[in-house]
Amino acid sequence: MRRQAREAVLRSLYRQEYLSATSNGLWQEDEGADEVLFARDLLRGVRDHRAEIDEIIDRRAVGWGVDRLPVVDRNILRLSLYELLYTDTPPEVVINEAVELAKAYGTEQAPAVVNGILDRVWKERRGHREMG
């Protein structure tokens, strides 16, 4: 069910690239309350931390700044970096779910790019924790 919540957040982020759309109507009435809350928290978190997340993407996507990445690919990265850095979802789950989203909705290169950037950020973060 959380995968569906992530897909709904990705759709919302995609729409917001072109429209000033809200998240209204993205969730079905029959979806569980936990999944809706999860999706809303993800969407709010990405919005609140977008500038910081975009800087992280810019530093890691060598030769491909955030504005040059395909829209879906960059929003998969925004969503998954927020979840990786600001939630208690296990990193392996975040990376796996992001790669699955990239396979389903991203460009041909998206799974490798998403996996590479998330893995690098996760390892850097883990290294900082072990040192400090």
Side-chain angles (χ1 to χ4, degrees):
M1 293 306 265
R2 285 192 162 198
R3 179 169 292 173
Q4 292 172 334
R6 289 181 184 97
E7 289 174 347
V9 172
L10 180 61
R11 285 193 305 271
S12 180
L13 292 171
Y14 182 84
R15 274 202 242 170
Q16 291 172 9
E17 292 277 343
Y18 302 104
L19 306 167
S20 58
T22 68
S23 59
N24 293 339
L26 287 176
W27 294 278
Q28 305 292 324
E29 292 296 322
D30 60 343
E31 287 186 279
D34 289 343
E35 287 74 28
V36 171
L37 286 175
F38 176 71
R40 287 183 177 154
D41 286 346
L42 287 179
L43 188 57
R44 186 178 312 112
V46 171
R47 286 181 188 152
D48 291 349
H49 297 279
R50 184 174 161 168
E52 178 185 345
I53 291 168
D54 283 357
E55 282 183 32
I56 292 169
I57 295 169
D58 268 336
R59 287 192 308 249
R60 301 321 186 282
V62 177
W64 287 85
V66 70
D67 292 335
R68 290 191 61 214
L69 287 170
V71 174
V72 173
D73 298 1
R74 82 171 153 241
N75 282 304
I76 292 169
L77 283 167
R78 286 174 174 152
L79 166 62
S80 53
L81 281 168
Y82 171 74
E83 196 172 3
L84 181 68
L85 298 172
Y86 298 100
T87 72
D88 59 358
T89 305
E92 298 88 349
V93 172
V94 172
I95 294 171
N96 184 60
E97 289 292 313
V99 170
E100 291 303 316
L101 283 173
K103 287 178 184 174
Y105 301 105
T107 61
E108 186 176 324
Q109 298 82 19
V113 170
V114 166
N115 185 58
I117 290 174
L118 294 177
D119 186 59
R120 185 169 168 201
V121 170
W122 176 38
K123 286 177 180 170
E124 289 171 359
R125 185 172 184 219
R126 191 173 55 189
H128 287 290
R129 283 186 178 166
E130 290 173 359
M131 293 175 62

